[in-house]
Amino acid sequence: MLYFDDLLQADDFPRAVNDLADDFMKEHGLEKVHQLGLVVPDVEKAAEKLEDQGFGPFFIATGAPVFWKEKGGNREISGKLGLAYHEGIELELLEPVKGSDFYTRSLDPDGQIVVQHLGFLVKGVDDWADKAINAGMPVWVRGQLKAWPSTTDFAYLEPMEENGLIMEFINWRVMGISFSPPPKLLKTVGRIEKWTGKRSIAL
């Protein structure tokens, strides 16, 4: 397992993150890692701990995707995630979801924060997923989230053989226009959540 703390010890955090997917990015013509997917036992507790260390604040949300297709079969799941940025990299905290063991299998028995996947912003998730399939990397999960006015499409690939990490293609859209969640927006919503004492918004 690769732990978040291991990456934080690097002199150059963004470079350390991007080095994890260097060969994959060169092969697929991708410029940089957008998101670091971190699996934790409890999103709210992990967010609080990281915020005490100077990260975030995290925007935390719960809900169910429009669809979640895993290994070719549709599943009904629900879960919780937390989002914040650190040195230009989006941090996504994820805890085990109901209906799938996709995140559960990455949990650390001692509760450490585990790096599960690396996410890349793309236009046309299905096109990129098809390219990966043609290159011998099957899609593990294809899903979609909606939180008005945004729609998020995503596809998780099978784990990399060399390091066990999962690559993810992501596309955020508002009114059909692709965008990247602004760090200031996530931080502002996270601050509001902390101020109100309600750390999780239902989407």
Side-chain angles (χ1 to χ4, degrees):
M1 285 185 174
L2 175 64
Y3 299 109
F4 184 48
D5 283 345
D6 295 333
L7 291 176
L8 292 178
Q9 292 175 14
D11 293 332
D12 188 329
F13 176 76
R15 181 173 181 177
V17 171
N18 281 281
D19 282 348
L20 294 172
D22 186 58
D23 291 341
F24 180 81
M25 290 191 293
K26 288 177 180 176
E27 181 179 354
H28 294 275
L30 295 162
E31 294 183 1
K32 63 179 181 178
V33 174
H34 168 72
Q35 182 188 89
L36 196 61
L38 306 170
V39 173
V40 297
D42 186 299
V43 164
E44 292 186 34
K45 289 181 179 178
E48 183 178 1
K49 182 178 179 180
L50 289 172
E51 286 166 354
D52 287 343
Q53 297 173 17
F55 294 87
F58 283 81
F59 160 58
I60 301 174
T62 58
V66 177
F67 69 87
W68 176 282
K69 191 172 184 178
E70 185 173 340
K71 299 285 189 178
N74 292 318
R75 298 194 184 188
E76 292 186 7
I77 74 158
S78 61
K80 182 181 294 184
L81 60 81
L83 295 173
Y85 279 86
H86 177 62
E87 296 188 20
I89 303 289
E90 184 182 79
L91 306 180
E92 182 182 41
L93 298 177
L94 296 153
E95 64 183 55
V97 300
K98 296 178 181 179
S100 171
D101 67 349
F102 181 72
Y103 301 120
T104 307
R105 64 181 63 213
S106 297
L107 278 176
D108 176 69
D110 296 321
Q112 292 193 62
I113 300 175
V114 175
V115 178
Q116 187 220 31
H117 69 263
L118 306 174
F120 302 89
L121 289 181
V122 299
K123 291 184 179 179
V125 164
D126 288 325
D127 291 339
W128 281 89
D130 287 342
K131 291 178 184 177
I133 292 172
N134 291 334
M137 298 187 67
V139 172
W140 191 342
V141 172
R142 173 69 173 88
Q144 185 182 85
L145 297 167
K146 280 193 176 181
W148 192 89
S150 69
T151 299
T152 308
D153 283 299
F154 58 92
Y156 291 110
L157 306 181
E158 291 281 356
M160 303 282 285
E161 291 185 3
E162 59 267 30
N163 56 22
L165 291 174
I166 296 168
M167 303 296 136
E168 180 190 19
F169 297 127
I170 312 165
N171 179 252
W172 296 71
R173 300 186 308 281
V174 169
M175 305 297 287
I177 300 174
S178 297
F179 79 108
S180 174
K184 288 185 179 180
L185 176 61
L186 295 181
K187 185 174 287 189
T188 298
V189 178
R191 283 175 177 162
I192 293 173
E193 286 184 343
K194 291 189 70 173
W195 178 72
T196 62
K198 185 176 176 63
R199 283 315 311 262
S200 181
I201 295 176
L203 300 178

